[in-house]
Amino acid sequence: SHRKRMPLNIIRSLMRGAKRGNLTSKRGNRLFYKGRGAKSTGFHTKKGGYIVQKHKVPQLIVPDLTGFQLKPYVSHKTPKVINPPLSLEELQSLTDTSQTQSSDK
């Protein structure tokens, strides 16, 4: 009736490894660089240069906000509005009306 027991230090080491958590750039040594999942905008050349490919550079489309009345702040007291999802017909009718309004201008 004598069972073999797992040594206590093995159990302790398993528990210590469980507390490790996510490895971030803050937790590694000074040479550890993880990045944040950003896409590359080009490639490195054999001589150590870098060539940027224009089709890989993100283009930000920013509207002209001159005379815009709304401010970027939204109060926490604002009531929550929940809209049901649009059907295909409703979405098509909305895009059709917005296209005709922009072509009228």
Side-chain angles (χ1 to χ4, degrees):
S1 87
H2 176 55
R3 288 189 289 171
K4 285 190 171 186
R5 290 187 173 187
M6 196 178 285
L8 187 60
N9 50 356
I10 292 177
I11 295 172
R12 235 184 246 150
S13 65
L14 289 173
M15 294 303 291
R16 197 174 299 132
K19 294 180 188 176
R20 216 171 276 145
N22 294 340
L23 181 60
T24 65
S25 56
K26 297 255 184 202
R27 302 189 91 190
N29 64 10
R30 66 183 180 85
L31 300 175
F32 180 75
Y33 176 73
K34 188 170 184 179
R36 294 283 179 193
K39 305 290 182 204
S40 69
T41 57
F43 59 92
H44 294 280
T45 62
K46 289 180 182 178
K47 296 183 178 182
Y50 191 76
I51 296 180
V52 176
Q53 295 174 313
K54 288 185 179 180
H55 69 276
K56 286 186 170 186
V57 177
Q59 290 184 327
L60 302 177
I61 301 170
V62 181
D64 182 24
L65 297 178
T66 54
F68 193 67
Q69 297 296 316
L70 296 177
K71 303 293 180 218
Y73 174 76
V74 178
S75 172
H76 288 285
K77 297 176 184 175
T78 306
K80 187 173 185 177
V81 178
I82 300 174
N83 294 327
L86 295 173
S87 68
L88 180 61
E89 293 81 19
E90 292 172 328
L91 186 61
Q92 286 175 341
S93 69
L94 285 174
T95 55
D96 290 342
T97 57
S98 67
Q99 286 175 357
T100 57
Q101 286 175 357
S102 63
S103 64
D104 292 342
K105 290 182 181 178

